[in-house]
Amino acid sequence: MSFIPLLLLILASLSLIPPSKSAPDFANIVYKGCAKQSLSDPTGVYSQALSSLYGTLLSQSSKSKFYKTSTGSGQSSISGLFQCRGDLSNVDCYSCVSRLPILIDKLCGKPIAARMQLYGCYMLYEVAGFAQISGMEMLFKSCSGTNVGGAGFEEKRDTALNSLENGMSGGNGGFFTTSYQDVYVLGQCEGDVGASDCVECVKNAVQKSQVECGSSISGQIYLHKCFISYSFYPNGIPKKSSSASYSSPSSSSGAETNTGKTVAIIVGGAAGVGFLVICLLFARGLLKKKDDY
């Protein structure tokens, strides 16, 4: 009996196991907002309008970073929009937006209004007559549980945020990034917000970040019409990745953990194969001895 074909079969099976691949940073969910009232749709008119809306938004995401439209008519109309972060490529924007309808359906169902925010893009829709809220309304905040020790951090952060405020007023299309020493900041307004309203929204978000996040190493503040984020990198701000994004310090450590797990799996698998080879060779030796008698 030959053990070589069996060994090759085992090795081939192991090579077919796909490597672990995480979603890109921009696809991470930040928050979801789902209206409590479900969409009453006995005739299917809302479902048809919503499907049409999704299709239009998705098709526009390959060539635009922001698009707003409506489908249906009268009381059965649905308005919606998407926006991608200003530093995403068209390919990444499309990839990000294409995930949103599926996530909304999975996590919200079909309410009368929904908003899904990923790190790199967001989408929202609402039926005609849905109650409106202020553009300054805070929808979500995220402050790192890690605080920065020592003097000087808040001064650095506030200087960077002040530069962000000034940059947003410079006609940058509602998107601006900058840094000061080891602090990286980013801000963006919804695509149809005027320049002066955009600056006011960002200033409001900056004030909230200073109050809400204190000395946290990173923070994100999402208002209805704008959002800002800051991250402190004690080892220096990393270079931009291929998707033109920065990971927060906390998410970077998470990536290292996942890499460690992948390496452990590979090493463990190799050790297992080595042990299996030894066992096969030992068994072959016993059979050969038995044949000799």
Side-chain angles (χ1 to χ4, degrees):
M1 178 182 178
S2 175
F3 289 92
I4 300 302
L6 177 60
L7 178 60
L8 291 175
L9 179 61
I10 293 170
L11 292 173
S13 299
L14 287 172
S15 68
L16 291 175
I17 299 174
S20 174
K21 185 177 181 180
S22 59
D25 284 345
F26 62 72
N28 293 337
I29 297 176
V30 178
Y31 72 89
K32 64 181 177 71
C34 314
K36 294 181 180 179
Q37 184 179 343
S38 297
L39 201 57
S40 179
D41 192 25
T43 62
V45 64
Y46 282 115
S47 295
Q48 184 177 355
L50 186 57
S51 178
S52 176
L53 177 71
Y54 284 155
T56 301
L57 294 177
L58 185 57
S59 66
Q60 291 294 323
S61 66
S62 63
K63 50 191 174 184
S64 176
K65 302 287 178 65
F66 171 80
Y67 192 76
K68 185 176 183 179
T69 188
S70 62
T71 57
S73 59
Q75 292 301 309
S76 62
S77 66
I78 300 179
S79 61
L81 63 85
F82 78 84
Q83 181 159 9
C84 288
R85 209 174 60 217
D87 56 350
L88 258 60
S89 67
N90 288 340
V91 172
D92 285 342
C93 181
Y94 177 83
S95 176
C96 190
V97 172
S98 65
R99 302 165 190 263
L100 293 168
I102 299 170
L103 289 171
I104 291 174
D105 186 67
K106 181 180 179 181
L107 301 177
C108 292
K110 284 187 172 61
I112 60 174
R115 178 175 182 136
M116 185 67 62
Q117 175 80 54
L118 305 186
Y119 187 60
C121 64
Y122 68 92
M123 180 183 288
L124 65 87
Y125 77 81
E126 55 191 37
V127 299
F130 185 74
Q132 300 298 300
I133 62 173
S134 166
M136 305 294 181
E137 184 84 14
M138 187 165 72
L139 303 179
F140 183 80
K141 68 172 182 177
S142 175
C143 306
S144 171
T146 303
N147 293 325
V148 182
F153 162 71
E154 292 190 11
E155 289 79 1
K156 291 180 183 178
R157 182 202 60 194
D158 293 347
T159 300
L161 290 173
N162 184 60
S163 297
L164 177 65
E165 292 178 11
N166 294 332
M168 295 301 291
S169 62
N172 294 293
F175 176 82
F176 188 72
T177 66
T178 188
S179 61
Y180 177 74
Q181 295 186 15
D182 298 329
V183 181
Y184 176 80
V185 293
L186 177 152
Q188 185 168 21
C189 293
E190 198 166 281
D192 57 350
V193 175
S196 59
D197 289 338
C198 176
V199 173
E200 287 304 311
C201 190
V202 168
K203 285 183 177 180
N204 196 300
V206 165
Q207 291 171 3
K208 290 185 184 298
S209 72
Q210 293 166 330
V211 173
E212 300 287 345
C213 293
S215 58
S216 293
I217 196 170
S218 63
Q220 300 172 21
I221 300 293
Y222 291 85
L223 306 188
H224 182 44
K225 291 294 184 179
C226 68
F227 77 91
I228 65 111
S229 70
Y230 74 85
S231 296
F232 172 65
Y233 295 91
N235 298 320
I237 298 172
K239 293 181 180 180
K240 287 186 178 182
S241 66
S242 58
S243 61
S245 65
Y246 288 101
S247 301
S248 68
S250 57
S251 65
S252 296
S253 63
E256 291 171 4
T257 301
N258 291 335
T259 303
K261 289 180 180 178
T262 304
V263 171
I265 291 170
I266 293 173
V267 173
V273 171
F275 179 73
L276 181 61
V277 170
I278 293 172
C279 290
L280 290 174
L281 292 174
F282 180 71
R284 184 179 182 183
L286 289 178
L287 286 176
K288 185 176 181 181
K289 287 182 178 180
K290 184 176 180 181
D291 292 341
D292 292 339
Y293 282 110

